Amino acid sequence: PHRWDMTAALVGVCHVLTALGRAATDPVGRSILACGGFATMAVAVNRSMGPAEPVGHAFFTAVAFLALAAWTALAGRRGATVPFTVRPRIGVGVAAVLLGLVGRTGAELALDGPAIGLWEAGGGGADSGWPLVCILGVLIARRSSGVVRPLR
């Protein structure tokens, strides 16, 4: 297998594990994050073969991009003790930015633009990086509040 296939599969596993362990967020958002993780693993299984793009690769890429961009809008919780990274306003704002990146990537693909790889990498990196930012925000909030307990 190609190294990028293995990386995509590993990132997908990380998204699923993150969704399973994120009790600080709403279950609907966590389910969508897990869906994005499974779709990311499916992208690795249905690898791109150049100009003759397999339908499965394009489908699972679209599902992964959209799920990983949208989950944060539905994962937010309210309350004074809720970390800022998992609050609804932050989640909706981040989702808007991520969906904008996904839309720009789609437009670049549809127009066969010269920067397809740049937009795909930027959107994918942002989609994959936001769950990590959320986890770090939860950990920092728990540490600063003096709460020392598992994330579950």
Side-chain angles (χ1 to χ4, degrees):
H2 192 271
R3 66 180 172 172
W4 292 112
D5 298 334
M6 298 303 292
T7 302
L10 180 60
V11 168
V13 169
C14 290
H15 289 319
V16 171
L17 292 175
T18 300
L20 291 174
R22 301 268 335 282
T25 58
D26 190 88
V28 173
R30 290 183 9 225
S31 298
I32 295 170
L33 176 59
C35 176
F38 286 120
T40 302
M41 287 184 267
V43 168
V45 172
N46 296 281
R47 64 187 284 199
S48 174
M49 301 297 191
E53 189 84 20
V55 174
H57 180 82
F59 173 77
F60 289 117
T61 299
V63 170
F65 264 123
L66 291 171
L68 293 172
W71 76 272
T72 188
L74 301 170
R77 292 237 168 125
R78 299 185 194 289
T81 61
V82 174
F84 73 96
T85 56
V86 293
R87 291 184 181 163
R89 282 189 186 178
I90 299 296
V92 169
V94 169
V97 170
L98 294 175
L99 288 169
L101 287 170
V102 169
R104 181 63 171 100
T105 302
E108 195 74 17
L109 283 167
L111 298 173
D112 199 26
I116 293 170
L118 175 67
W119 285 101
E120 187 176 16
D127 271 354
S128 292
W130 181 247
L132 176 62
V133 172
C134 288
I135 289 171
L136 293 175
V138 170
L139 291 173
I140 290 168
R142 288 180 184 219
R143 176 167 271 213
S144 65
S145 70
V147 175
V148 182
R149 64 178 193 254
L151 286 176
R152 273 292 290 138

